[in-house]
Amino acid sequence: MKNSENILLKDFDLVPFGSFSDTDYKEAILDGIDKARKEIDEITQNNQAPDFENTIAALDFAGQHLDRVTSAFFNINSAETNETIQNIAQEVSPLLSEFSNDITLNEALFKRVKAVYDSRETLDLNREQQVLLEKKYKGFARNGANLPEEKKARLREIDTQLSKLALTFGENILAETNKFELHITEEKDLAGLPESTIESAAQTAEEKNKEGWIFTLEYPSYIPFMKYAENRELRRQMAIAFGAKGFHSDKLDNQDNVLKIVNLRHERANLLGYKTHAHFVLEERMAKSPENVNRFLEDLLAKAKPAAEREFKQLEHFAKERDGIEQLEKWDSAYYSEKLKQQLFELDDELLKPYFKLENVIEGVFTVAKKLYGLRFVEVFDVPKYHKDVKTYQVFDEMDNFMAIFYADFHPRPGKRGGAWMTQYKGQFKKDGQNERPHVSNVCNFTKPTPSKPSLLTFNEVTTLFHEFGHGLHGMLANTTYPSLSGPSVFWDFVELPSQILENWCYEPEALELFAKHYETGETIPMVLIDKIKKAANFQEGMQTLRQLSFGILDMSWHGADPSGITDVKAHELAAFENTKLYPDVAENCMSVSFSHIFQGGYSSGYYSYKWAEVLDADAFAYFKENGIFNGEVARKFRDHILSQGGTEDPMVLYKRFRGKEPNPEALLKRAGLVK
């Protein structure tokens, strides 16, 4: 019997946080599945001949209530989880996987979809409708609709197992992150650390009812410690703890989960007629095939590796000259890189942080969005929130049309997974004459305010905020008809273009002068510091590129070949890293077991897309630079042909419509300083 008090059972626009309990999610999800099944039944039982509207469009709009509830639930499982939420996730994920299979393996439904697809040449469809039809047909064909019954049954088993394994993988990493703390009681062990970092650590200790200072594996605590702490032994302890998440041969160990995931993905791909998981995934990407991805990675590696090796030798020499370090280790990387950067450019994060008060940076990114796209952000206080730290805004365009709700959640806490991401509680679509506007969220883990200082961001945190906001703009400016083609619903190696291009504004004086103001004096960041930021932009770019490429290569090593012979996760990883290795291996550490992007998120066979999109963003930003970074005509083209179009057309077609030509990879290499 349904709980009549459960507000999630009713239709809602804003997620009514605060008006329901965590346990209400499960009932609402089960109810949403029932409603969605009935909507699917209405399509399959329709006596009229299948056509675009009664089959393809109806299918795209089916299950909207379920989508709203699950979006809220899984977003909270990432941003503010607890044991109740995690238990419900373990219960409902297999049910949602089963429901998804029930759709793609529904013969009556596929028969109708195929009938429309087979008659597509005779239909008068616009471009967006053509893309949706092809996407729906492929969604069935690529996910088992043509399989015999025994293989369909096995596909269901695999998908159920994979949904559970991904959840467990992520829960283990969050538990590992929360479990570790470096408790310092001797003041001498704080040598080198900035005052703000020390104050944050004291605040953490106080919250845990302990004396002294506590450092954790959350980024705002971990990164400054690794960058500034003079105590090499403590840096070693922190680095090993960070790299050993999920690698302790205990109940939180992810080695078995990794092997199960890759083997199940491979079996699934084989069932569907593909050589590997990567072949399956990349068929629907700009890259098209593992061979193209590997060529792309190898080409960049050939250009980046000589620069990376030169930079590493320079760092080795610097560490030896400065402190007599005979063997540079991974826990020395951030520390000596920061010291070398200070020496070469007279620049460090502590010098810059006073100019990057979080509130000012938020206003800055809003101002950039206004100058580029005419958007206006108004903070509102009547939108329900899931945590007091969350800020909410209404977004309007230059004509005062309502565009979006924007949630901003910027600080770490025990219930939030690490990293930074953009998500949506409601996507954009058009229905019944209404252009339904999206509810977009940015979630990050930035330095918290302390009793004496506001939240002051590192420059890296500033670029992260701009990056996620770029994803946000992709959602906010969406203007398509069908939900599954809207906003960031694009090829995975295209989705990073809107986010990565916006990072470029962080390096431009014209943009920095809008928001980089000293939190105490209000003084605009001096031009001399802006010049140093620009000069330091390519510092150790070869090493950074090599690092990113190593992650892409590791991803392809797991998914681009038959993994059934792999028995040792660590040994496999070492082999994959062989060609990109600079530092000695740390026996206690393993990256794969905490590589959430590919084992929990959606980046399996897709990690290369960060570098792929960098080619696009470097070329696209070069167009802005040629015409002025706030040039209205170029911004209008980017909005009209990229941000608003979602997945309504092939990404390269959209890109060429914006740029007038295909992207030139030289733009990335020049920006990175890897070619002259």
Side-chain angles (χ1 to χ4, degrees):
M1 187 171 160
K2 290 180 188 175
N3 173 12
S4 60
E5 299 298 309
N6 186 349
I7 196 169
L8 292 177
L9 297 175
K10 305 178 178 82
D11 287 336
F12 55 84
D13 187 44
L14 294 166
V15 181
F17 293 119
S19 299
F20 59 90
S21 69
D22 290 343
T23 53
D24 288 336
Y25 277 119
K26 183 179 175 183
E27 182 186 32
I29 290 169
L30 295 177
D31 181 64
I33 291 173
D34 286 342
K35 285 177 180 169
R37 284 192 195 282
K38 285 171 184 160
E39 289 167 350
I40 298 297
D41 288 343
E42 284 175 20
I43 298 170
T44 59
Q45 292 164 13
N46 191 329
N47 292 324
Q48 294 181 323
D51 62 24
F52 181 84
E53 285 302 326
N54 71 22
T55 300
I56 307 302
L59 180 56
D60 206 50
F61 284 108
Q64 281 196 307
H65 186 78
L66 176 62
D67 288 343
R68 295 299 314 281
V69 175
T70 54
S71 292
F73 175 72
F74 286 106
N75 287 336
I76 295 309
N77 193 36
S78 291
E80 183 60 9
T81 196
N82 56 47
E83 195 175 337
T84 301
I85 296 279
Q86 290 178 345
N87 288 338
I88 294 171
Q90 289 285 357
E91 287 181 65
V92 301
S93 290
L95 301 177
L96 290 164
S97 177
E98 183 184 350
F99 171 66
S100 176
N101 285 143
D102 285 346
I103 294 176
T104 54
L105 302 178
N106 184 322
E107 288 185 25
L109 185 59
F110 180 50
K111 191 175 177 184
R112 289 184 69 91
V113 169
K114 189 174 185 302
V116 181
Y117 183 76
D118 288 344
S119 64
R120 63 192 180 281
E121 301 298 336
T122 66
L123 304 175
D124 184 23
L125 302 180
N126 63 33
R127 188 182 69 238
E128 188 176 350
Q129 290 170 328
Q130 290 168 14
V131 170
L132 184 67
L133 174 56
E134 184 169 333
K135 182 176 179 178
K136 289 300 177 195
Y137 176 76
K138 279 186 174 179
F140 282 87
R142 278 171 46 83
N143 286 286
N146 292 314
L147 291 178
E149 284 308 314
E150 71 276 7
K151 289 188 175 180
K152 285 181 180 178
R154 179 57 187 151
L155 190 72
R156 287 176 179 276
E157 290 171 7
I158 290 171
D159 287 344
T160 298
Q161 289 176 59
L162 283 172
S163 69
K164 284 186 162 185
L165 285 165
L167 278 173
T168 302
F169 184 98
E171 287 169 7
N172 288 351
I173 297 309
L174 181 61
E176 288 271 53
T177 302
N178 289 339
K179 187 172 73 169
F180 176 85
E181 58 183 48
L182 178 68
H183 186 195
I184 290 178
T185 53
E186 301 274 341
E187 199 162 345
K188 63 179 174 56
D189 291 331
L190 302 172
L193 290 169
E195 180 192 331
S196 57
T197 302
I198 293 170
E199 192 174 358
S200 290
Q203 192 174 345
T204 303
E206 191 178 325
E207 287 165 3
K208 292 175 180 276
N209 297 313
K210 293 184 180 178
E211 296 293 318
W213 304 265
I214 287 178
F215 295 88
T216 72
L217 300 181
E218 289 171 342
Y219 283 121
S221 179
Y222 176 75
I223 288 173
F225 192 91
M226 299 307 296
K227 199 178 271 191
Y228 296 109
E230 291 176 10
N231 188 319
R232 193 183 187 206
E233 169 55 25
L234 292 180
R235 291 202 313 271
R236 186 187 74 83
Q237 289 177 33
M238 284 286 276
I240 288 176
F242 190 88
K245 288 181 291 187
F247 194 57
H248 289 119
S249 300
D250 59 8
K251 66 177 184 177
L252 299 178
D253 192 282
N254 269 337
Q255 292 175 82
D256 194 43
N257 291 327
V258 165
L259 293 176
K260 284 177 179 172
I261 288 169
V262 294
N263 279 287
L264 285 168
R265 284 173 175 170
H266 184 72
E267 184 187 349
R268 186 182 196 279
N270 289 170
L271 264 180
L272 295 167
Y274 294 87
K275 186 179 176 184
T276 68
H277 179 67
H279 285 85
F280 170 76
V281 168
L282 293 166
E283 185 179 69
E284 291 294 287
R285 300 285 194 265
M286 291 179 79
K288 301 302 181 194
S289 73
E291 293 75 22
N292 288 342
V293 170
N294 288 328
R295 265 196 301 274
F296 171 73
L297 294 172
E298 285 161 13
D299 184 50
L300 267 181
L301 180 61
K303 292 179 171 74
K305 193 171 180 179
E309 289 173 340
R310 282 195 305 273
E311 291 163 3
F312 188 67
K313 278 182 182 160
Q314 180 190 33
L315 191 64
E316 281 185 313
H317 178 74
F318 174 76
K320 188 169 184 180
E321 287 285 301
R322 188 180 188 277
D323 290 331
I325 300 295
E326 292 294 335
Q327 176 64 67
L328 207 60
E329 302 283 358
K330 287 182 179 176
W331 45 86
D332 299 317
S333 173
Y335 180 78
Y336 286 107
S337 292
E338 184 64 22
K339 294 288 181 283
L340 179 58
K341 187 170 81 171
Q342 289 173 16
Q343 179 176 296
L344 293 175
F345 305 103
E346 298 176 327
L347 185 71
D348 75 271
D349 275 335
E350 291 308 302
L351 200 61
L352 296 175
K353 278 170 71 174
Y355 295 97
F356 295 126
K357 180 181 171 183
L358 174 59
E359 289 76 8
N360 291 348
V361 180
I362 295 168
E363 280 306 310
V365 82
F366 288 171
T367 305
V368 168
K370 182 170 188 178
K371 289 173 77 73
L372 288 171
Y373 308 118
L375 298 181
R376 181 168 60 87
F377 293 77
V378 178
E379 187 169 8
V380 290
F381 302 93
D382 55 353
V383 171
K385 306 174 184 183
Y386 57 86
H387 192 276
K388 61 181 176 58
D389 286 353
V390 179
K391 293 178 179 290
T392 51
Y393 302 84
Q394 287 183 337
V395 188
F396 301 91
D397 69 7
E398 60 270 39
M399 305 296 289
D400 270 345
N401 297 308
F402 172 70
M403 296 298 288
I405 295 289
F406 178 55
Y407 298 79
D409 179 3
F410 288 133
H411 299 302
R413 52 183 175 266
K416 184 196 279 193
R417 68 176 169 88
W421 62 94
M422 170 268 188
T423 187
Q424 296 188 135
Y425 290 100
K426 175 188 175 186
Q428 178 272 334
F429 58 89
K430 295 173 186 172
K431 193 176 184 186
D432 301 329
Q434 275 286 111
N435 190 337
E436 293 286 340
R437 299 311 303 168
H439 301 168
V440 173
S441 176
N442 278 175
V443 188
C444 304
N445 282 277
F446 295 149
T447 309
K448 282 182 171 179
T450 66
S452 68
K453 286 188 179 67
S455 175
L456 301 175
L457 305 190
T458 65
F459 188 69
N460 186 56
E461 288 177 325
V462 174
T463 59
T464 297
L465 191 151
F466 270 68
H467 177 104
E468 298 307 333
F469 192 77
H471 281 307
L473 290 173
H474 205 183
M476 294 175 214
L477 292 171
N479 191 31
T480 63
T481 302
Y482 302 104
S484 70
L485 299 179
S486 180
S489 300
V490 299
F491 281 2
W492 209 267
D493 44 10
F494 192 58
V495 79
E496 295 298 333
L497 169 60
S499 55
Q500 290 184 185
I501 192 172
L502 202 65
E503 292 182 40
N504 290 281
W505 273 261
C506 299
Y507 296 90
E508 297 299 319
E510 205 178 333
L512 283 168
E513 286 167 357
L514 297 172
F515 66 90
K517 301 182 189 298
H518 197 284
Y519 79 99
E520 288 177 315
T521 66
E523 172 204 11
T524 300
I525 191 168
M527 186 55 70
V528 65
L529 280 183
I530 294 178
D531 288 342
K532 287 176 180 179
I533 289 171
K534 287 184 76 71
K535 282 176 185 168
N538 287 338
F539 176 62
Q540 293 185 343
E541 185 64 40
M543 287 169 65
Q544 293 298 329
T545 300
L546 199 67
R547 181 174 178 270
Q548 281 289 94
L549 292 174
S550 74
F551 298 164
I553 290 165
L554 178 63
D555 173 26
M556 293 304 291
S557 79
W558 281 119
H559 296 113
D562 182 353
S564 59
I566 303 169
T567 55
D568 187 324
V569 173
K570 172 79 173 187
H572 174 78
E573 179 173 298
L574 284 174
F577 282 157
E578 184 59 38
N579 219 16
T580 57
K581 181 180 168 186
L582 293 173
Y583 292 91
D585 177 57
V586 180
E588 300 95 325
N589 287 7
C590 180
M591 185 197 169
S592 297
V593 292
S594 62
F595 199 173
S596 297
H597 273 77
I598 67 169
F599 292 119
Q600 182 190 10
Y603 281 84
S604 63
S605 305
Y607 200 87
Y608 75 92
S609 61
Y610 282 105
K611 275 294 166 195
W612 185 278
E614 272 191 57
V615 171
L616 300 176
D617 103 64
D619 184 71
F621 190 65
Y623 190 27
F624 274 98
K625 286 278 283 183
E626 288 161 18
N627 296 279
I629 66 166
F630 290 115
N631 181 276
E633 179 62 18
V634 179
R636 183 193 61 75
K637 283 185 176 181
F638 195 74
R639 175 178 176 160
D640 290 353
H641 299 308
I642 306 290
L643 296 176
S644 67
Q645 292 300 300
T648 57
E649 206 161 351
D650 183 274
M652 191 56 79
V653 172
L654 292 175
Y655 188 84
K656 286 195 286 188
R657 203 168 284 147
F658 155 68
R659 188 69 165 97
K661 62 185 183 69
E662 288 198 1
N664 179 6
E666 288 292 303
L668 170 62
L669 298 170
K670 281 180 183 172
R671 184 179 71 183
L674 298 176
V675 298
K676 298 297 182 192

